[in-house]
Amino acid sequence: MASISIPDENRTLTDVQEICDFLQPFGIWYEKWDVAGRIGEKATNEEILEAYAPEIDRLKEKGGFVTADVINVSPETPNLDAMLEKFNKEHTHSEDEVRFTVEGRGVFHIHPENGPVFAVQVESGDLINVPRDTQHWFNLCSDRHIRCIRLFEAPSGWTPHYMEVGIHEKYSPLCWGPDYLQKADDIDPVVKI
């Protein structure tokens, strides 16, 4: 399930309704889709698109999207670091960025005009949109794995438009959850002199 971290307010949201209520004023919608048993472990991209066809069709009608595909990212992805460099700096797109996470985890950092910078960690079953012209950036979690359905308003997709001076370096790219908690537990909180 998604969570939201608002670092400048030292606040985290995990309740689905709180998440939806927080995101709504920024034009961001969040949905939780059922994933249990819908696809096999080694499902092809076509099988994934077929399994989620009703949801994809609903989103196409709602948002004017014309095409959908599946992106697979793992540590074995060729040129992974170069690919991630395209998205881990603050940028915008000229159309909505819509992602449904089938597997894995990642973090969308949002820098809205009318609010604090916040991070939305997504995992399997989470659908989110980042509205057109919204400043944001994206990081993978430590396992560097995510598989998502993407929707586009134009068959050619979108390209990032980078900010001249981005604030992405001021915010941690970390994911919350077992990986983070394990690392925090390994740190001895007692300093000996």
Side-chain angles (χ1 to χ4, degrees):
M1 182 178 75
S3 62
I4 294 179
S5 170
I6 311 155
D8 295 338
E9 297 178 3
N10 198 26
R11 187 163 61 123
T12 301
L13 306 175
T14 57
D15 177 77
V16 172
Q17 191 57 54
E18 277 186 320
I19 289 170
C20 292
D21 292 345
F22 178 83
L23 295 175
Q24 189 273 331
F26 304 110
I28 300 172
W29 24 272
Y30 167 79
E31 296 178 15
K32 183 72 175 169
W33 293 0
D34 183 34
V35 293
R38 283 190 81 172
I39 59 169
E41 187 176 316
K42 302 216 184 264
T44 64
N45 292 351
E46 292 75 22
E47 290 169 333
I48 290 171
L49 292 172
E50 185 178 319
Y52 290 98
E55 290 92 342
I56 292 169
D57 290 344
R58 176 179 56 82
L59 290 175
K60 282 181 175 180
E61 187 174 315
K62 174 182 177 178
F65 305 107
V66 297
T67 188
D69 71 4
V70 176
I71 185 169
N72 297 291
V73 178
S74 73
E76 293 78 34
T77 299
N79 302 311
L80 176 60
D81 290 330
M83 183 178 78
L84 294 176
E85 281 292 316
K86 294 179 182 178
F87 303 108
N88 69 4
K89 294 173 183 59
E90 192 171 14
H91 63 277
T92 64
H93 300 289
S94 56
E95 67 174 70
D96 284 10
E97 182 170 348
V98 179
R99 297 290 179 273
F100 170 67
T101 305
V102 178
E103 299 172 354
R105 298 179 302 138
V107 179
F108 285 93
H109 306 266
I110 312 292
H111 180 195
E113 287 183 22
N114 57 341
V117 171
F118 58 92
V120 182
Q121 181 176 313
V122 294
E123 59 186 42
S124 180
D126 293 329
L127 170 81
I128 188 173
N129 78 309
V130 178
R132 75 182 72 233
D133 300 322
T134 299
Q135 294 174 210
H136 68 286
W137 63 98
F138 179 80
N139 296 105
L140 284 178
C141 293
S142 60
D143 61 1
R144 296 167 57 99
H145 169 71
I146 199 162
R147 194 170 195 190
C148 294
I149 296 174
R150 308 184 298 178
L151 285 94
F152 299 100
E153 294 173 26
S156 61
W158 43 253
T159 56
H161 307 284
Y162 298 102
M163 305 294 96
E164 253 185 65
V165 180
I167 63 164
H168 56 274
E169 292 178 1
K170 290 176 51 181
Y171 294 89
S172 173
L174 71 96
C175 290
W176 302 103
D179 292 346
Y180 174 77
L181 295 175
Q182 179 62 40
K183 289 175 186 169
D185 289 344
D186 291 341
I187 298 170
D188 185 359
V190 178
V191 177
K192 297 177 181 171
I193 300 178

